[in-house]
Amino acid sequence: MLADADLNPLAPVIAVDFSSENWSAPAIASNLHADSFLIVSQVDQGGTSWIRGRMIDGAGISQPKLDVEGNGVGNLTGNLHRPDVGGDPHPSTLAFFCVVWEHEASPGNHDLYVRLIDQQGATTTANATAITTTALHSAAPSISKSNHTQDWLVSFEDLSLIHISEPTRPLYI
């Protein structure tokens, strides 16, 4: 639902997807200059997961679906999970959306990638940019708004650093 600052509806409820695809883990961001929003989601169908999105303009009109990575777009093979998107509050023609997600490189090893989407919903490069590609398991990326088209902050969990073990001796207080 598109709402104003007081949460009053500005348009009817908008269906992001009404196909047989399973859209999960959605995220949304805005772009001030384009007066638009980008909704991204993990799309699961037939045992494959990829990142897909849809632009919604300020009047609540949705644009055609766009593939951010996977499903024939980009160069990553394997399943893609947990997208997040950062918008841009700056009123500039050079304002972008930035999408981050997990790439299942192998079982127990997820890498993180990022890609810019322009104000018309097109990817800006042929391939995504890697954030982490180590043998470590990075997960649950979260991205900030831009500080004017150039910088976003991405936080994530590095699950390889979490270590839980039983104490080797009794603890006395």
Side-chain angles (χ1 to χ4, degrees), residues 27-50:
I28 188 169
S30 67
N31 184 296
L32 179 62
H33 182 267
D35 188 26
S36 64
F37 303 89
L38 176 60
I39 299 167
V40 296
S41 180
Q42 171 183 326
V43 175
D44 303 304
Q45 189 174 38
T48 303
S49 298
W50 68 94

Side-chain angles (χ1 to χ4, degrees), residues 159-167:
L159 299 180
S160 63
L161 298 177
I162 298 172
H163 181 72
I164 301 172
S165 63
E166 294 295 322

Side-chain angles (χ1 to χ4, degrees), residues 1-109:
M1 177 179 73
L2 189 61
D4 66 15
D6 295 323
L7 299 180
N8 296 312
L10 295 174
V13 173
I14 301 164
V16 175
D17 182 66
F18 41 86
S19 69
S20 63
E21 299 171 345
N22 179 21
W23 285 48
S24 62
I28 188 169
S30 67
N31 184 296
L32 179 62
H33 182 267
D35 188 26
S36 64
F37 303 89
L38 176 60
I39 299 167
V40 296
S41 180
Q42 171 183 326
V43 175
D44 303 304
Q45 189 174 38
T48 303
S49 298
W50 68 94
I51 307 304
R52 179 166 268 181
R54 181 170 291 226
M55 301 281 293
I56 308 284
D57 71 20
I61 299 170
S62 64
Q63 304 303 315
K65 294 183 241 182
L66 61 104
D67 288 317
V68 175
E69 182 73 26
N71 199 33
V73 172
N75 66 332
L76 298 176
T77 59
N79 288 320
L80 310 172
H81 306 283
R82 296 185 189 172
D84 195 15
V85 59
D88 198 328
H90 197 271
S92 166
T93 57
L94 295 176
F96 296 92
F97 294 99
C98 188
V99 182
V100 63
W101 66 88
E102 292 178 35
H103 168 239
E104 187 177 342
S106 63
N109 178 10

Side-chain angles (χ1 to χ4, degrees), residues 89-173:
H90 197 271
S92 166
T93 57
L94 295 176
F96 296 92
F97 294 99
C98 188
V99 182
V100 63
W101 66 88
E102 292 178 35
H103 168 239
E104 187 177 342
S106 63
N109 178 10
H110 286 205
D111 299 328
L112 300 181
Y113 283 82
V114 64
R115 175 171 284 201
L116 290 179
I117 306 294
D118 70 19
Q119 295 178 18
Q120 289 74 44
T123 58
T124 61
T125 58
N127 296 318
T129 302
I131 295 175
T132 65
T133 59
T134 66
L136 307 175
H137 185 82
S138 300
S142 181
I143 192 166
S144 68
K145 287 189 287 190
S146 165
N147 72 341
H148 175 58
T149 74
Q150 300 169 20
D151 299 310
W152 283 268
L153 176 65
V154 175
S155 66
F156 58 93
E157 298 173 10
D158 188 340
L159 299 180
S160 63
L161 298 177
I162 298 172
H163 181 72
I164 301 172
S165 63
E166 294 295 322
T168 57
R169 62 176 197 247
L171 177 62
Y172 300 99
I173 300 178

